[in-house]
Amino acid sequence: MTDATDTAPARSLRVPGAQLHYEVRGEGPLLVLVGAPMDAAAFAPLAGLLATDHTVLTADPRGINRSRLDDPEEESTPQLRADDLSRLIAHVDAGPAMVLGSSGGAVSALALVQAHPGQVHTVVAHEPPLIELLEDREPLRTGTEDLVATYLAGDVTGAWKKFFAQAGLTMPEHVVEQMFGGERDPQQVADERRWFAHEMRASTYWQPDVAALRTAAPRIVVGIGEDSAGQLCDRTSSALAQALDTGPTNFPGGHTGFVETPDAFATRLRVVLRES
């Protein structure tokens, strides 16, 4: 088992409009682990486990943590993040890559397949929050606009309560108050604000080109956490799998199973990647 404090040397790459922080571990076939808004640190334990036989690339998405923007108010779109991934894969020069994208990172990975299919051969899209694939997309859009407005008006805990409710995540009120109502790390607050103000809507409202994804050369696996049943991302992931005419693949844990149980998640991911 790899220590959860596993670290890798910090590296950076200049791309249009941003300086990207990225990390590389191990040797072997290239495997990219990507989130949004989750940064590279969230994937460190999983990356350490997989680096025994893979070259593992992780990065902070543009505007998050150590990946600095020229324009701090720039919108973070799946297309921009896909272009960043494309440049990172080309820079590391170990592709074509396997990509595990989780949450907004799964949206980035799907956008990468659409824009740069030659750079990847397998994409595992783990719980992408693509609400446009659902029949109740309109009320979900309304709810998203409301919770973003609540956050930007200064009611941080109120916005999070609305977010958890819409996502189908059970979170006791006192826990939300403890997590988001007291003294907090300034970088965490900055990343949170960027997600609410400049990233959430672009990621959840993104509409995949289903026809392009169905005929693309890269293999696409839709992942769902075993503990995510009934949650919003269970629904969106199931809808994506149905649209792609494939069955979803279960992974240990919930929406952030790679953080909760990295060992079990790595074991499952290895099986899925071997099938490709």
Side-chain angles (χ1 to χ4, degrees):
M1 175 178 175
T2 297
D3 193 331
T5 61
D6 169 72
T7 59
R11 309 183 189 189
S12 65
L13 177 67
R14 181 69 192 175
V15 299
Q19 190 79 23
L20 298 180
H21 168 92
Y22 73 98
E23 300 164 3
V24 177
R25 295 168 171 83
E27 294 182 0
L30 180 59
L31 173 58
V32 183
L33 308 179
V34 58
M38 294 164 288
D39 63 12
F43 290 93
L46 180 63
L49 291 162
L50 296 168
T52 56
D53 55 355
H54 292 85
T55 298
V56 183
L57 169 65
T58 57
D60 293 354
R62 61 168 50 220
I64 296 295
N65 200 353
R66 297 154 291 187
S67 288
R68 305 298 183 179
L69 292 173
D70 296 350
D71 174 11
E73 298 303 309
E74 175 193 69
E75 294 298 306
S76 176
T77 67
Q79 293 89 340
L80 273 176
R81 300 196 304 268
D83 288 343
D84 288 342
L85 289 173
S86 172
R87 292 184 177 95
L88 284 167
I89 291 169
H91 180 69
V92 172
D93 193 24
M98 298 169 282
V99 181
L100 166 71
S102 187
S103 192
V107 181
S108 307
L110 293 169
L112 177 67
V113 173
Q114 289 185 189
H116 309 280
Q119 288 186 294
V120 293
H121 67 77
T122 302
V123 164
V124 179
H126 182 260
E127 300 210 359
L130 297 171
I131 65 173
E132 293 299 310
L133 298 177
L134 301 177
E135 291 186 1
D136 57 342
R137 65 184 71 89
E138 288 302 326
L140 288 169
R141 268 182 171 260
T142 299
T144 301
E145 293 298 327
D146 177 55
L147 66 89
V148 169
T150 300
Y151 183 88
L152 296 179
D155 185 1
V156 174
T157 57
W160 276 108
K161 289 172 185 177
K162 291 178 179 180
F163 170 81
F164 289 130
Q166 178 158 294
L169 298 168
T170 301
M171 190 70 68
E173 188 166 326
H174 73 278
V175 174
V176 179
E177 295 286 350
Q178 290 175 353
M179 291 176 64
F180 305 106
E183 191 73 20
R184 303 174 64 201
D185 176 70
Q187 185 62 58
Q188 181 186 22
V189 172
D191 292 346
E192 173 189 85
R193 184 190 183 282
R194 173 151 188 83
W195 181 53
F196 274 98
H198 298 294
E199 186 172 310
M200 185 188 301
R201 286 173 289 197
S203 293
T204 59
Y205 299 170
W206 187 71
Q207 299 187 49
D209 184 338
V210 172
L213 292 176
R214 289 183 68 168
T215 58
R219 174 185 177 229
I220 299 175
V221 177
V222 180
I224 301 178
E226 293 172 345
D227 299 335
S228 299
Q231 296 174 7
L232 179 61
C233 284
D234 174 24
R235 295 173 56 213
T236 56
S237 301
S238 297
L240 175 64
Q242 183 176 12
L244 297 179
D245 196 24
T246 185
T249 297
N250 289 333
F251 280 83
H255 188 61
T256 56
F258 59 93
V259 175
E260 301 155 11
T261 56
D263 293 85
F265 198 98
T267 298
R268 180 62 175 143
L269 182 60
R270 286 182 185 281
V271 171
V272 171
L273 295 178
R274 278 199 298 268
E275 292 172 353
S276 66

